[in-house]
Amino acid sequence: MDRRIKKNQSAIMNALMQLIAEKEFEKITINDIAERADVNRGTVYSHYADKYDLLDKCIEAQLAHLMECCYSPETTGPFPSKITLLRTVKEIENNAPLFQSLLSIKDVSSFRVHLSKMIHMQIVEQMNEHKISLDDLGKSIFAQFMSSAIVGVIEWWFTPSMTCSAEELTERLWSILEVNWMTLLSPQA
């Protein structure tokens, strides 16, 4: 891809992320984005269909970045490690204003939905890799339960302010997740 195209796309995405931290997504216009990115309106439209398309691409980029920062290649168990969870929570903590803003967007395919789907897919993938003896519906229900719980706890942590450290949140969340995984792995499951 041409350097100028990458530079423009990066500037446009960064502009949207900055604007989301400042005001509600619904009130952001293409003109606002173009002005902040220091490009013309046509340049924004040459890369993205509209602000919703741009938001989707930004969410995908943020999730990819989150995964890249937090992935632990040494993880060998049937669930991501506590270290991986801590890295994820710390990355979210380090970028709290951005993630708070992304989680607060309503009425569009939100960051919360994308994050939940990503976690859901990872959990199902882990269950398949470790040959967990549940049918597809059972795996899907379990993964939905776990992903919703994780995202819900992260949302709670952000409101009204982070009431505990990333380490404490990870420790407590991990103990709950571990109990659920052990129940799933037990012979009765």
Side-chain angles (χ1 to χ4, degrees), residues 65-151:
H65 175 73
L66 189 61
M67 290 291 298
E68 186 179 299
C69 289
C70 306
Y71 176 71
S72 178
E74 68 272 2
T75 299
T76 57
F79 188 70
S81 70
K82 189 191 309 188
I83 293 167
T84 303
L85 181 60
L86 179 59
R87 284 182 191 155
T88 305
V89 173
K90 281 187 144 309
E91 180 65 21
I92 290 170
E93 180 183 49
N94 291 339
N95 295 289
L98 172 63
F99 288 110
Q100 283 173 318
S101 297
L102 287 172
L103 283 167
S104 71
I105 297 172
K106 306 290 184 228
D107 302 326
V108 292
S109 184
S110 70
F111 183 73
R112 182 191 203 294
V113 171
H114 288 281
L115 181 60
S116 187
K117 282 181 184 177
M118 180 191 76
I119 294 169
H120 183 278
M121 287 177 10
Q122 285 184 327
I123 292 170
V124 169
E125 191 176 292
Q126 288 287 322
M127 287 191 287
N128 289 337
E129 279 181 33
H130 292 88
K131 297 175 177 49
I132 302 297
S133 61
L134 287 176
D135 63 10
D136 288 342
L137 179 60
K139 287 177 187 175
S140 189
I141 290 170
F142 183 81
Q144 184 61 42
F145 171 78
M146 295 294 278
S147 63
S148 296
I150 292 167
V151 173

Side-chain angles (χ1 to χ4, degrees), residues 7-49:
K7 184 179 175 188
N8 282 342
Q9 287 176 334
S10 179
I12 293 166
M13 286 181 146
N14 288 336
L16 179 61
M17 292 294 99
Q18 290 169 11
L19 288 165
I20 285 173
E22 295 171 14
K23 62 183 179 179
E24 293 176 29
F25 176 75
E26 293 76 22
K27 294 181 180 177
I28 297 171
T29 67
I30 292 294
N31 284 338
D32 295 333
I33 297 164
E35 186 176 309
R36 180 68 59 98
D38 197 24
V39 298
N40 64 47
R41 247 176 90 88
T43 302
V44 176
Y45 282 118
S46 72
H47 297 292
Y48 307 100

